[in-house]
Amino acid sequence: MPAKVKVKIIAGKNLPVMDRSSDTTDAYVELKLGGTTYKTEVCRKSLNPQWNSDWYRFEMDDSELQDEPLQIRLMDHDTYSANDAIGKVYVDLNPLLLPSIPVMPKCRWSGDPSSNGEHSTNSLLSGWFPVYDTMHGIRGEVNVMVKVELFSDFNKFRQSSCGVQFFCSPSVPHGYAIQMYHGFVEELIVNDDPEYQWIDKIRTPRASNEARQTLFFKLAGELRRRIGVKALELGGNAVIGYSQCFDLEGELGVVVRGIGTSVTLTKLRDVPPLTILESNNEE
């Protein structure tokens, strides 16, 4: 189904000093999603910049959103030399692509006539994200707001798995009940390793690191989408016991594997939040 993504860059804090002469930074932000890129204005001479940008808009299919992370790169503007990279943030948009799971009274199934079938949705993500550089580690934070709007599409041939939730725990997630177990789902993807491409011989170590880092994010998203499609084909709306692993096979490429169990989940009503102590006791 088609989707619209809106991103607003609000502020940054605790950025590193990039201009030694003034002990400040002339920071701006690059946004990339799919083939579309935007840039904010430069906030000069500040380690805690305030952008309060307009909303930047992207349009793409939901299956692409599942594979592609939103890339937020912070840069230092230089007038007489190349701009310097401060760090990067990858935002997984899959949590914003989840339609509702039916809500039911505690200890009642959604098929019960007394269940009113309430639904809840989540399409807004906001907060402070750590800015990470593969050469220097954490280099401050950036405050971002992301909104996603999905449009209904009943094409049965689409390759999206929007609505399928993934849980790493093999047990029933807190606040949910399992109506049905559908079966085991698995997937494997092989891709070329950027560090063994010819261009890696001429690009910087940072660019080489980021190429592999970006690939890992994309492969993880594609893997979840493919497994989610298989879960939907079995009649499920969630995958529990989900596990994925990456194998670096040298010149043969990168291999990512994922496994889990397809189930149908229903959310329970009036369930108290799980405390840390209760969580430890369950383990």
Side-chain angles (χ1 to χ4, degrees), residues 73 90 134-135 193-216:
R73 182 193 297 273
Y90 293 89
T134 60
M135 305 298 292
D193 190 339
E195 294 210 359
Y196 288 87
Q197 296 174 350
W198 67 267
I199 196 173
D200 196 61
K201 298 178 181 179
I202 60 175
R203 60 186 171 192
T204 65
R206 176 182 283 108
S208 179
N209 292 343
E210 289 186 355
R212 180 181 265 186
Q213 189 179 44
T214 301
L215 175 65
F216 286 176

Side-chain angles (χ1 to χ4, degrees), residues 102-108 172-177 266-275 278 282:
V103 179
M104 67 177 185
K106 190 174 182 181
C107 299
R108 290 183 178 174
V172 180
H174 180 73
Y176 291 88
T266 307
K267 187 178 293 185
L268 297 173
R269 186 192 303 276
D270 300 328
V271 179
L274 183 65
T275 65
E278 291 173 337
E282 288 185 1

Side-chain angles (χ1 to χ4, degrees), residues 20 30 37 44 68 89 100 114 159 173 206 217 223 235 238 269 275:
R20 296 298 177 185
E30 290 182 353
T37 303
R44 299 189 179 278
E68 290 278 346
V89 177
S100 56
S114 60
Q159 292 300 306
R206 176 182 283 108
F217 271 93
L223 183 73
R269 186 192 303 276
T275 65

Side-chain angles (χ1 to χ4, degrees), residues 1-3 60-67 93-101 148-151 153 158-166 224-229 232 236-238:
M1 64 184 76
M60 56 199 310
D61 190 76
D62 59 344
S63 60
E64 295 178 282
L65 287 182
Q66 289 186 290
D67 295 358
L93 298 178
N94 279 280
L96 301 181
L97 304 178
L98 290 175
S100 56
I101 281 184
V148 174
E149 182 179 3
L150 291 174
F151 299 92
D153 182 358
R158 65 189 179 93
Q159 292 300 306
S160 166
S161 61
C162 281
V164 178
Q165 295 199 59
F166 285 78
R224 287 197 306 270
R225 176 177 59 81
R226 290 190 182 186
I227 289 182
V229 169
L232 287 174
N237 64 0

Side-chain angles (χ1 to χ4, degrees), residues 5-269:
V5 180
K6 297 193 295 183
V7 183
K8 184 182 183 72
I9 305 297
I10 300 174
K13 66 180 180 181
N14 301 325
L15 300 187
V17 172
M18 302 297 291
D19 298 325
R20 296 298 177 185
S21 60
S22 60
D23 287 336
T24 59
T25 295
D26 298 328
Y28 69 94
V29 178
E30 290 182 353
L31 296 171
K32 182 178 180 182
L33 183 60
T36 305
T37 303
Y38 293 103
K39 293 182 181 180
T40 68
E41 296 181 352
V42 177
C43 187
R44 299 189 179 278
K45 299 187 182 302
S46 176
L47 301 182
N48 300 285
Q50 298 289 325
W51 289 289
N52 291 315
S53 71
D54 295 330
W55 289 98
Y56 298 103
R57 290 172 169 79
F58 304 85
E59 293 187 11
M60 56 199 310
D61 190 76
D62 59 344
S63 60
E64 295 178 282
L65 287 182
Q66 289 186 290
D67 295 358
E68 290 278 346
L70 171 64
Q71 300 181 47
I72 304 172
R73 182 193 297 273
L74 274 72
M75 300 288 293
D76 172 59
H77 179 268
D78 290 320
T79 304
Y80 301 108
S81 61
N83 297 335
D84 299 318
I86 299 175
K88 202 169 183 179
V89 177
Y90 293 89
V91 180
D92 181 6
L93 298 178
N94 279 280
L96 301 181
L97 304 178
L98 290 175
S100 56
I101 281 184
V103 179
M104 67 177 185
K106 190 174 182 181
C107 299
R108 290 183 178 174
W109 301 108
S110 60
D112 193 308
S114 60
S115 174
N116 62 10
E118 291 181 10
H119 290 71
S120 61
T121 58
N122 181 13
S123 60
L124 173 65
L125 178 68
S126 65
W128 290 93
F129 294 82
V131 178
Y132 180 77
D133 178 67
T134 60
M135 305 298 292
H136 301 288
I138 302 297
R139 309 188 84 188
E141 300 176 59
V142 61
N143 193 356
V144 180
M145 292 182 64
V146 182
K147 292 182 179 180
V148 174
E149 182 179 3
L150 291 174
F151 299 92
S152 298
D153 182 358
F154 299 101
N155 178 9
K156 64 180 180 179
F157 298 106
R158 65 189 179 93
Q159 292 300 306
S160 166
S161 61
C162 281
V164 178
Q165 295 199 59
F166 285 78
F167 299 90
C168 295
S169 171
S171 58
V172 180
H174 180 73
Y176 291 88
I178 293 182
Q179 285 187 290
M180 184 176 294
Y181 288 89
H182 298 286
F184 183 73
V185 285
E186 62 179 336
E187 186 60 84
L188 179 146
I189 301 175
V190 180
N191 200 94
D192 292 337
D193 190 339
E195 294 210 359
Y196 288 87
Q197 296 174 350
W198 67 267
I199 196 173
D200 196 61
K201 298 178 181 179
I202 60 175
R203 60 186 171 192
T204 65
R206 176 182 283 108
S208 179
N209 292 343
E210 289 186 355
R212 180 181 265 186
Q213 189 179 44
T214 301
L215 175 65
F216 286 176
F217 271 93
K218 291 183 177 182
L219 288 179
E222 182 181 355
L223 183 73
R224 287 197 306 270
R225 176 177 59 81
R226 290 190 182 186
I227 289 182
V229 169
K230 291 185 176 181
L232 287 174
E233 291 173 349
L234 292 176
N237 64 0
V239 175
I240 63 172
Y242 179 66
S243 175
Q244 70 177 27
C245 63
F246 287 85
D247 292 327
L248 305 180
E249 304 290 350
E251 295 183 358
L252 298 178
V254 177
V255 179
V256 57
R257 299 175 174 88
I259 59 174
T261 301
S262 172
V263 298
T264 297
L265 289 183
T266 307
K267 187 178 293 185
L268 297 173
R269 186 192 303 276

